[in-house]
Each structure stands twice: as structure tokens, then as C-alpha cells.
Amino acid sequence: MITFKDVTKTYPDGTTALKDVNFDVREGELLALIGPSGCGKTTTMKMINRLIEPTEGLIEIHNKDIKEYNIHELRWNIGYVLQEIALFPHMTIEENIAVVPEMKKWKKKDLSARIDELMHMVGLDPDKHRKRKPSELSGGQQQRVGVIRALAADPEIILMDEPFSALDPISREQLQKDIRSLQQEIKKTIVFVTHDMDEALALGDRICLMKEGEIVQLDTPQNLVLNPVNSFVEDFIGSRKTPWQTAVDVIMEQSGDAVYSVDDYESGRVPTHGMFHLRKSDGTNGGAVIDGRREVVPELDNGMVLKDAVALFEKHKYDSLPVVRGNKLIGTLSYKDIVLFLKSQSKEEEV
Ligand code: ADP
Ligand code: MG
């Protein structure tokens, strides 16, 4: 949906920030851009809404050169969240959220309902907070307003440049959770810059790892972790605080080997030994089958970290549990998968 074709950016002082970069952001995905400071993340981001123009190459949105769009329409259709909380200090929270919808001439009534909806989405009570000034909110709350302000006019694309890096770890974790669940509902195309691998793994549908203006590996979190293309990627993955914070969907089994349909179960076309899971025809979890008996077992939310998953496995003693996203069964995870993964991730001396 957003396509970079042979894009190079050289700043007037001669610094080449991007070198002949090619990639595609897919509709509805969250692409996490990650890499060391100075590798060109912000430059990449700002070229999407034309705050920076490429020196060479082409950027397209929906297969159309972004230069062919009216610049105001282009920017209204792209929400932008910055690292530094950039709310207008003299305006109330509701006025801050209303900026772009008002430029788009939304009706007052629609706008008011939208503000309520957005504030609820990120756990801010509209009655309590609408009329406040930014300075009357905590840093975490202000950044939440920054996020919903970018969403307010329902843009197709959202750019987030290290939006949580100025926050304390608790607000940061809460906002990551918010973004994850928001994204499951709204399915926007999001480009999310971070220098934190834990954050990239937790949020990205795909991760684009950059170094010195070039893409080193653009891949799913699973592939990045399990099949790094070189030692730079390996080191970056290794920079995580701990593999125990990896989300279950990063290492879950997606092949469906351990999943049968409820139909297959009801007509007896399933093994009578071992443990596997059932999927209903609407894609939801249909429970587990253990040695031929159908049972209800706990579900792992796709964003749950391994530390919490292990605690569940230890409590319930099942060999394998279903992984769900929203209400869909998306994979399975066994205790053994976790052990093998943690073993592969631990430093030599710890084994
Ligand atoms: P990141 O966001 O990954 O930290 P940037 O995209 O901000 O990286 O910067 C990439 C490179 O371009 C860096 O070497 C940076 O110093 C340089 N750079 C960024 N903006 C400018 C500018 N306006 N003029 C000259 N060099 C710049
Ligand atoms: Mg930057």
C-alpha cells in the first residue's frame, strides 16, 4: 500500500540518510521500523507525509506517486504521533483531538461522539478529561491523547515515531497494550519507529531492521528471531531485555498440524491419542481434545509474554494450549516449544 522504490535521501550537507531503499507496507499491517540511532528511520517516516522529499526514487500510496496527491489531503489522511508529546498546551483535550476533524469540516455532533469513543478506547473518562488542559494530565495520559488525536479523523495511515520512548516503563507497557488492542479493532496501516526490539516484537506484524540507511532484514517477528540473516540481526535480537518477554505468537506453531476442525472431530476423523485443538467453522477456538475426549482448556492471548504463558502451563499441566487473537484461533503453543526457544535464546554460559 505504501511503496518505496529505489529511494535515496542525501541531505544538503552531504549526509546520505537512505541508500536505494525498496520496501512495501501492506494494507492494515503494523510495520515496525527499527535500527540504531542515525540509521534513517525518521527520514523514512517523514518522506511518507512529504515532510522530507527523496533525492532519488519514488514513493507511492495505493500505486500513485505521493507527489500527485494534494499535499493537504495527503497529510490529513496520515495521522502522525511524535516522540515528544506535542499537544497544544493552551487548548483543552477535546480541542486538541478535534484539530484535524475540524479542518475536514466534520459536523459538531459526529465529532463530539468521536471524541467520546476515542477517549474510551484508551481508558480516559471523557466526562473527567475533555475540558482539561494537557498540563493537567500525566505524561502517559498526554501521550494517549497524542495517539487518539492522530486517529481522530480516521486516517488510512498512521506514522508513529518512537511515540513511547519518553515514558516511564509502566505507562509505556500500558500504551503498547492499548496499541495492540486498538490495532485489532481498527486495522490501520501503521509505520511504527522504535529502537526497542521488545517493542518491535510485541507490536509489529513485520519488522524492518535498518542499518546505515539500508534495510538489513524485513520479516515477520518469527523469522527475525528464528532465521536472522546475519550477526547484526542476531545481535539486535539479542539486545532484548529478556527472551521471557517474547509474545507467544512470535514462536507459536502456525502450520495447523495440531489443529483439526470440529467437523472432523464430530465425524471421527481425528487421532484418539495425544492432544490437539479444534477450530470451529467461524475460526474460533473449539476446545481441545485429549486422547479422544473433548475438553475446555485455557487460551493464550496472542500478546501474552512467555513468562506468563509458562505460569499458565505450570498451573494447568497441559502439554499444549491454543493461541487466540481477538476471538480467532491462530495457532498453538506447547510447553516444549517454549523450552526449546528459551534454550536457543540464552547465552552460552547460561545453559
Ligand atoms: P534515525 O531516526 O534512525 O535516528 P534519522 O533519519 O534521523 O535517523 O537520520 C539519518 C541520518 O541523517 C543521520 O546520520 C542524521 O544525522 C542525518 N540527518 C538527519 N536529518 C538531517 C538533516 N536535516 N541534515 C543533515 N543530516 C541529517
Ligand atoms: Mg529518529
Side-chain angles (χ1 to χ4, degrees), residues 141-177:
Q141 289 173 327
Q142 289 183 45
Q143 199 59 320
R144 270 190 194 118
V145 175
V147 171
I148 58 180
R149 181 176 64 175
L151 295 172
D154 212 16
E156 258 196 296
I157 297 170
I158 298 164
L159 308 177
M160 300 193 174
D161 196 347
E162 310 213 20
F164 309 144
S165 58
L167 299 177
D168 62 277
I170 293 172
S171 307
R172 184 181 180 129
E173 209 172 291
Q174 186 54 49
L175 269 161
Q176 288 173 357
K177 284 199 181 123

Side-chain angles (χ1 to χ4, degrees), residues 14-81:
T15 310
T16 299
L18 279 193
K19 298 173 197 159
D20 202 20
V21 161
N22 288 280
F23 70 98
D24 194 31
V25 189
R26 298 173 188 157
E27 186 135 21
E29 84 170 339
L30 190 151
L31 181 77
L33 276 185
I34 188 167
S37 178
C39 70
K41 305 181 293 293
T42 297
T43 302
T44 303
M45 191 83 128
K46 287 187 169 170
M47 286 201 278
I48 299 172
N49 61 3
R50 295 191 60 196
L51 290 171
I52 296 177
E53 300 287 348
T55 319
E56 280 170 59
L58 183 67
I59 300 165
E60 294 178 341
I61 293 180
H62 291 306
N63 302 312
K64 180 169 145 182
D65 186 340
I66 56 174
K67 288 202 208 107
E68 287 171 24
Y69 290 92
N70 172 300
I71 183 114
H72 302 294
E73 280 169 20
L74 179 82
R75 291 201 181 139
W76 289 349
N77 198 25
I78 301 180
Y80 197 16
V81 188

Side-chain angles (χ1 to χ4, degrees), residues 32-36 39 41 192-201 207-211 224 232 236:
L33 276 185
I34 188 167
C39 70
K41 305 181 293 293
F192 189 105
V193 166
T194 177
H195 58 250
D196 177 351
M197 197 48 153
D198 289 298
E199 188 162 273
L201 287 167
I207 296 174
C208 178
L209 178 55
M210 299 175 64
K211 183 191 176 190
L224 216 64
F232 175 77
F236 226 88

